[in-house]
Amino acid sequence: MDLHPDIERVLLSEDDIKGIVSRLGAEISRDYADKNPLVVTVLRGAFIFTADLMRAITVPCAVDFMAVSSYGSGVKSSGVVRIVKDLDTNIEGRHVIIAEDILDSGLTLSYLVGLLKGRGAASIRIVAFSVKDIEGHAAAVVPNYVGAHVPDAFVVGYGLDFAERYRNLPYVGVLKPEVYS
Ligand code: 5GP
């Protein structure tokens, strides 16, 4: 496939992504046999990752969706998280796996973990498709399952957007800075 003109370089190709997702699915299937986990997708970015991940999980599992606003159309996390859409599932006693597209500061997830703990989940783990390597400070949460590490740049594709564009790119790439600055 031709590289989109707004993309500087590809970080994770379609083949890389397939390998990552099948490894994560195998790890989760091994750890959650007989636990019927609930995979909680953080919309919108994680919807494509979750769709692939669910098909790579071989044990019974369920899915539900939450939407939070963090970035808007900018590129820096504000630390302020607002629930835009809540879960429909009662998670009391459930084993919850939060599926995240990209972990940056971790502020969004640290808020969500606290919230879901308060609702009585039996356990909460995080599967992050990608983790941004940030220099100088640690993320607010440590994911239990990590797909790939990406450099500290603004990336799009495979569900990740800039101003609602580029989610449909089948790879993860670095957006050219002139597009957002
Ligand atoms: P955090 O709260 O960990 O700083 O931010 C997490 C959320 O910010 C992600 O779920 C994603 O929506 C957004 N985000 C963080 N880094 C990037 C990035 O490089 N590209 C895109 N498109 N979104 C990002």
Side-chain angles (χ1 to χ4, degrees):
M1 162 182 286
D2 289 341
L3 188 63
H4 190 289
D6 294 349
I7 300 299
E8 195 172 83
R9 67 184 199 279
V10 173
L11 293 177
L12 301 169
S13 69
E14 285 189 75
D15 276 352
D16 295 334
I17 292 171
K18 274 189 190 133
I20 290 165
V21 172
S22 66
R23 172 176 59 77
L24 293 172
E27 289 174 15
I28 290 171
S29 305
R30 179 197 66 207
D31 294 348
Y32 284 86
D34 305 321
K35 288 196 169 147
N36 188 23
L38 177 71
V39 178
V40 169
T41 307
V42 188
L43 295 172
R44 301 181 186 120
F47 83 105
I48 291 179
F49 168 51
T50 308
D52 286 344
L53 180 68
M54 291 290 284
R55 284 175 286 186
I57 296 176
T58 54
V59 298
C61 61
V63 68
D64 202 351
F65 306 92
M66 267 186 112
V68 297
S69 73
S70 50
Y71 266 48
S73 59
V75 294
K76 274 284 159 219
S77 190
S78 62
V80 179
V81 178
R82 191 168 59 90
I83 295 185
V84 178
K85 183 216 172 296
D86 208 338
L87 296 173
D88 293 320
T89 311
N90 176 1
I91 61 163
E92 208 178 327
R94 294 296 301 267
H95 294 283
V96 171
I97 304 171
I98 304 177
E100 173 71 310
D101 47 11
I102 187 163
L103 191 105
D104 187 357
S105 69
L107 289 171
T108 311
L109 278 191
S110 120
Y111 174 85
L112 278 186
V113 169
L115 181 89
L116 299 184
K117 263 189 192 150
R119 294 184 185 175
S123 69
I124 300 176
R125 284 189 178 176
I126 294 165
V127 55
F129 171 72
S130 61
V131 172
K132 211 177 258 194
D133 284 325
I134 28 179
E135 292 228 351
H137 64 104
V141 292
V142 180
N144 305 85
Y145 306 94
V146 174
H149 288 266
V150 295
D152 191 4
F154 195 77
V155 302
V156 294
Y158 195 59
L160 288 162
D161 75 311
F162 173 66
E164 295 306 324
R165 293 184 61 198
Y166 313 108
R167 292 193 198 275
N168 54 326
L169 296 179
Y171 50 83
V172 174
V174 177
L175 191 61
K176 287 182 180 165
E178 61 259 36
V179 177
Y180 60 81
S181 54

